[in-house]
Amino acid sequence: MILQRQDDPNFWQSVTGTLEQGELAVSTAMREVKEETGIDIQQAGYQLHDHQQINRYAIRDIWQYRYPPNTPYNTEHVFSVQIDGNDDIRLTEHLCYRWLDKTSAMSKVWSDTNRAAIAQHVPDFSD
């Protein structure tokens, strides 16, 4: 599933979020999935996979105001979870979502790091 941002409708992405002070990355991932989609990973019995991968990328100018001054890069921890396509999705921060096959998702997401994560960690169910 990919999500369309409200503040830039041409920007499609996975669930993303910010580490809160003292929060572990795995806790952030679970919290952000619940906040952005309404899915409680633990309650649903899903398995969150920590890929032990950290990406660094330049912060887009339009989002720079969200970061401390002189912060040019963001750090991204890569997680994945396979959910049931019949789950009730409740968007809070996005315009819409789409279920796409791996190739279509890779071509639709905006960021290179999202594309790479999909390529590396999303199974290809067309086989």
Side-chain angles (χ1 to χ4, degrees):
M1 173 176 48
I2 60 171
L3 305 163
Q4 183 183 33
R5 290 187 66 95
Q6 288 183 7
D7 58 359
D8 183 351
N10 293 318
F11 195 108
W12 288 81
Q13 65 183 50
S14 61
V15 170
T16 62
T18 302
L19 281 165
E20 293 180 355
Q21 185 150 357
E23 188 176 39
L24 298 173
V26 67
S27 299
T28 301
M30 293 175 62
R31 176 179 53 77
E32 289 291 344
V33 167
K34 187 173 181 182
E35 287 177 4
E36 294 184 18
T37 70
I39 296 171
D40 184 321
I41 292 172
Q42 285 184 317
Q43 185 177 27
Y46 294 137
Q47 178 72 35
L48 182 68
H49 301 279
D50 182 349
H51 296 290
Q52 299 295 308
Q53 180 179 348
I54 298 175
N55 299 320
R56 186 172 177 234
Y57 63 90
I59 298 168
R60 292 177 76 196
D61 289 342
I62 64 169
W63 295 328
Q64 189 63 53
Y65 71 92
R66 299 177 182 170
Y67 297 87
N70 302 314
T71 306
Y73 296 101
N74 197 6
T75 302
E76 172 182 80
H77 299 262
V78 179
F79 293 88
S80 66
V81 60
Q82 184 175 337
I83 64 171
D84 186 328
N86 294 318
D87 282 341
D88 181 30
I89 306 297
R90 293 183 310 276
L91 299 179
T92 58
E93 301 176 20
H94 297 86
L95 294 173
C96 69
Y97 67 94
R98 289 194 184 155
W99 292 105
L100 298 175
D101 62 70
K102 181 176 183 171
T103 302
S104 298
M106 288 173 57
S107 68
K108 188 79 172 161
V109 293
W110 190 90
S111 76
D112 291 336
T113 58
N114 248 196
R115 204 168 357 277
I118 293 167
Q120 292 174 320
H121 306 296
V122 173
D124 186 353
F125 293 110
S126 64
D127 297 336

